[in-house]
């Protein structure tokens, strides 16, 4: 396998990274990361205090150059979660910016400050086994304590190269994003992706509509975001001609980490003429599928498998779904070079996650989907929280949520199932009304869904909320919804 960052082997003055006031060329990045990599030679594993700064990018690149696994730490983690991650991964040191204030949980670890300058010539990259661990990314912990996902250099390279092929991503692209840097989306795709291509990344520090308009309008060609960000952009478009010009001029708009509502797809396309591309991945698999740029708009789908990735849908009894009827729901299972190597310190959980051996086996994602007639995948929710068995039907929460969001009186929506003596489970809609003073009636919403989908998919109960609980990437945390 070629080096993870070919542009750092013979670096030039070409722009590599900009975050807030800090900007680095490839020469400057090679010197800074190379100098830090030399200091990591005796470390077994390092934590990275993953605040949205250029120093987080330098720290991660340095660890990869040194062949040392990096553990990105979410700076918004609570005390208990942070203590669990540190106890599980046992890093030898923490990399942080000199001005970063670290919590007490990190007080016992040696601290290595990250400098944005480096003396002399850049350090040549170490020869590292492609199967060795590059990153240990922790899951969100929605079904128990967070698990450390072991991502090899092979998996990172394979996933980024597959995306490059699908999206025609080159060194000429300038990526704009404001995503957190402790997760796959913001760190692997958003930082390591451009650097592997030899292009430029401009991180906003924190997402803002003004920042997107400025950076995309100033030479940016690609935007990565999550649905919450695109929703805010869609809200701003009618009143912001600069934003309209910036999004209209972008080569590629990509949304991920959760489903982008069809209504926001339509608003952005109508105002800019650009279609937002959705892709599908997770910590354990990196990227699996994507809608292809330049093709017909496919709101509500996540496209087809990426090069080298195999995807199948499986029934509860283990049989593989052969058809593509757009209705039959199955669990998504994935196989390919993009897969993780296992969970840190959890051989049992690793074995349970695969159908067969880890090497060459199918990974059970826990995501439920249908396959359309043209082969595209449409996700309908998580097996644990979004598959509702009601009246003999298997119903995905995602399509009902999209239908609810198509109602003008709904700002946000989530759908869950709860026990029902007659139906087995009844469909419950959690709705944030567009106008809290005039929320739509439950009967009106049920009829709206029944007209768009089918009568058996209508919500039987509607509960109003001021806001839906979400994580840092905008995913709705359904297990934190009030118990009805």
């Amino acid at each position: 396998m070629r080096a993870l960052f070919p542009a750092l082997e013979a670096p030039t003055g070409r722009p590599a990274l900009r975050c807030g006031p800090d900007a680095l060329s490839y020469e400057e990045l090679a010197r800074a990361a190379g100098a830090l990599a030399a200091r990591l030679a005796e470390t077994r594993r390092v934590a990275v205090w993953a605040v949205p700064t250029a120093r987080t990018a330098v720290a991660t690149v340095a660890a990869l150059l040194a062949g040392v696994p990096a553990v990105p730490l979410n700076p918004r983690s609570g005390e208990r979660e942070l203590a669990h991650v540190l106890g599980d991964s046992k890093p030898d040191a923490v990399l942080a910016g000199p001005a970063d204030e670290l919590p007490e949980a990190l007080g016992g670890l040696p601290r290595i400050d990250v400098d944005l300058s480096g003396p002399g010539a850049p350090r040549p990259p170490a020869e590292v086994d492609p199967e060795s661990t590059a990153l240990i990314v922790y899951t969100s912990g929605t079904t128990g304590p967070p698990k450390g996902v072991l991502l090899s250099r092979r998996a990172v390279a394979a996933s980024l190269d597959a995306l490059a092929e699908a999206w025609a991503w080159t060194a000429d692209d300038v990526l704009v994003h404001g995503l957190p840097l402790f997760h796959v989306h913001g760190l692997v795709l958003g930082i390591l992706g451009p650097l592997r291509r030899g292009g430029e990344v401009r991180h906003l520090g924190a997402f803002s509509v003004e920042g997107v308009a400025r950076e995309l309008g100033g030479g940016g060609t690609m935007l990565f975001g999550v649905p919450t960000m695109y929703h805010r952009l869609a809200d701003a478009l009618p009143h912001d001609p600069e934003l309209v010009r910036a999004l209209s001029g972008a080569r590629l708009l990509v949304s991920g980490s959760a489903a982008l509502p069809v209504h926001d797809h339509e608003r952005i396309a109508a105002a800019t003429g650009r279609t937002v591309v959705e892709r599908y991945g997770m910590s354990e698999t990196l990227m699996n599928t994507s809608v292809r740029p330049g093709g017909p708009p496919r709101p509500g789908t996540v496209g087809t498998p990426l090069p080298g990735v195999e995807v199948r849908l499986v029934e509860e009894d283990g049989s593989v779904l052969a058809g593509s009827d757009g209705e039959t729901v199955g669990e998504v299972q994935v196989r390919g070079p993009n897969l993780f190597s296992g969970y840190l310190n959890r051989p049992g959980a690793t074995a349970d996650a695969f159908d067969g051996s880890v090497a060459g086996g199918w990974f059970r994602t826990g995501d439920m989907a249908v396959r359309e007639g043209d082969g595209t995948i449409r996700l309908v929710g998580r097996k644990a929280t979004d598959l509702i068995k009601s009246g003999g039907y298997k119903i995905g929460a995602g399509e009902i949520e999209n239908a609810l969001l198509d109602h003008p009186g709904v700002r946000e929506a989530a759908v869950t199932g709860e026990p029902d003596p007659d139906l087995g489970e009844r469909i419950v809609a959690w709705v944030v009304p567009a106008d809290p003073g005039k929320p739509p009636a439950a009967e009106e919403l049920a009829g709206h869904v029944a007209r768009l989908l089918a009568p058996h998919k209508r919500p039987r109960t509607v509960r109003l909320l001021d806001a839906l609980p979400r994580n840092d990437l905008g995913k709705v945390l359904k297990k934190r919804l009030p118990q009805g």
Side-chain angles (χ1 to χ4, degrees):
M1 183 184 77
R2 66 177 180 151
L4 278 176
F5 308 113
L8 293 180
E9 296 196 321
T12 68
R14 185 183 178 98
L17 168 71
R18 190 168 81 206
C19 184
D22 299 316
L24 296 173
S25 69
Y26 275 93
E27 287 177 337
E28 292 165 332
L29 176 60
R31 285 199 296 270
L36 180 56
R39 299 174 63 189
L40 303 181
E42 302 303 318
T43 57
R44 178 186 57 90
R45 186 178 294 158
V46 294
V48 175
W49 188 242
V51 289
T53 67
R55 286 177 170 81
T56 295
V58 169
T60 305
V61 171
L64 293 172
L65 292 179
V68 176
V71 185
L73 299 178
N74 179 358
R76 297 180 62 179
S77 293
E79 293 178 3
R80 179 176 297 178
E81 181 178 350
L82 186 58
H84 166 75
V85 170
L86 294 173
D88 190 54
S89 62
K90 294 182 170 53
D92 294 334
V94 57
L95 310 184
D100 291 341
E101 294 186 12
L102 302 183
E104 290 184 9
L106 289 164
L109 273 181
R111 174 173 177 158
I112 300 176
D113 286 338
V114 180
D115 195 343
L116 296 183
S117 61
R123 180 179 184 267
E127 290 290 332
V128 184
D129 180 359
E131 295 302 320
S132 65
T133 300
L135 299 166
I136 304 174
V137 177
Y138 275 79
T139 63
S140 57
T142 54
T143 58
K147 298 188 289 289
V149 176
L150 301 171
L151 295 173
S152 68
R153 301 169 76 88
R154 172 261 306 157
V156 170
S159 200
L160 293 177
D161 291 349
L163 286 177
E165 182 177 339
W167 294 345
W169 189 356
T170 73
D172 293 328
D173 280 307
V174 177
L175 173 63
V176 177
H177 79 91
L179 296 159
L181 298 186
F182 60 86
H183 197 265
V184 163
H185 193 173
L187 183 62
V188 178
L189 273 63
I191 298 295
L192 305 186
L195 298 181
R196 181 162 175 80
R197 302 271 70 81
E200 181 183 355
V201 54
R202 300 176 185 175
H203 194 282
L204 301 175
F207 171 81
S208 69
V209 170
E210 297 76 17
V212 168
R214 180 186 66 249
E215 296 301 340
L216 273 185
T221 66
M222 302 167 65
L223 175 67
F224 287 179
V226 296
T228 301
M229 297 175 179
Y230 280 104
H231 181 78
R232 294 175 185 172
L233 293 173
D235 279 347
L237 281 169
H239 320 290
D240 192 336
E242 181 183 353
L243 179 64
V244 173
R245 286 192 294 272
L247 292 179
S248 300
R251 187 182 74 79
L252 189 62
L253 307 175
V254 181
S255 180
S257 296
L260 179 63
V262 172
H263 180 56
D264 289 332
H265 271 287
E266 293 172 342
R267 292 197 293 164
I268 293 169
T272 69
R274 293 293 182 186
T275 300
V276 179
V277 167
E278 289 195 80
R279 87 299 178 280
Y280 162 54
M282 55 196 306
S283 299
E284 289 92 338
T285 67
L286 296 174
M287 294 303 108
N288 300 314
T289 70
S290 177
V291 173
R292 299 310 198 262
R298 293 306 307 264
T301 79
V302 291
T304 52
L306 292 169
V309 180
E310 296 177 78
V311 175
R312 69 182 186 183
L313 303 184
V314 178
E315 286 271 25
E316 288 181 282
D317 62 5
S319 60
V320 177
L321 294 175
S324 302
D325 60 8
E327 286 291 333
T328 307
V329 177
E331 182 186 11
V332 180
Q333 296 189 356
V334 180
R335 185 166 67 179
N338 54 314
L339 291 189
F340 74 132
S341 306
Y343 294 114
L344 180 66
N345 302 326
R346 285 169 173 76
T350 301
D352 290 343
F354 283 86
D355 177 20
S357 66
V358 176
W362 291 87
F363 174 70
R364 302 181 176 106
T365 67
D367 290 318
M368 307 302 292
V370 300
R371 196 187 298 269
E372 304 286 0
D374 61 358
T376 58
I377 302 294
R378 178 163 55 87
L379 298 174
V380 298
R382 291 289 294 169
K383 187 175 183 179
T385 57
D386 297 326
L387 183 65
I388 303 166
K389 297 177 181 179
S390 182
Y393 295 97
K394 288 193 295 184
I395 303 167
E399 60 179 343
I400 304 174
E401 290 163 356
N402 263 325
L404 288 166
L405 289 167
D406 199 49
H407 190 286
V410 175
R411 175 175 293 278
E412 296 181 76
V415 168
T416 59
E418 63 184 30
D420 184 276
D422 179 44
L423 297 169
E425 283 187 295
R426 63 177 170 269
I427 298 169
V428 178
W430 304 81
V431 170
V432 178
D435 181 352
K438 296 180 180 179
E443 296 80 6
E444 180 184 350
L445 292 177
H448 171 77
V449 171
R451 285 191 300 274
L452 291 179
L453 301 177
H456 68 268
K457 295 180 180 180
R458 69 189 186 279
R460 307 297 177 123
T461 302
V462 175
R463 298 190 178 120
L464 301 178
L465 296 173
D466 294 329
L468 297 177
R470 296 180 182 271
N471 66 12
D472 291 319
L473 291 173
K475 290 184 180 180
V476 176
L477 301 173
K478 293 189 177 181
K479 293 192 175 182
R480 294 188 186 175
L481 289 167
Q483 297 299 309

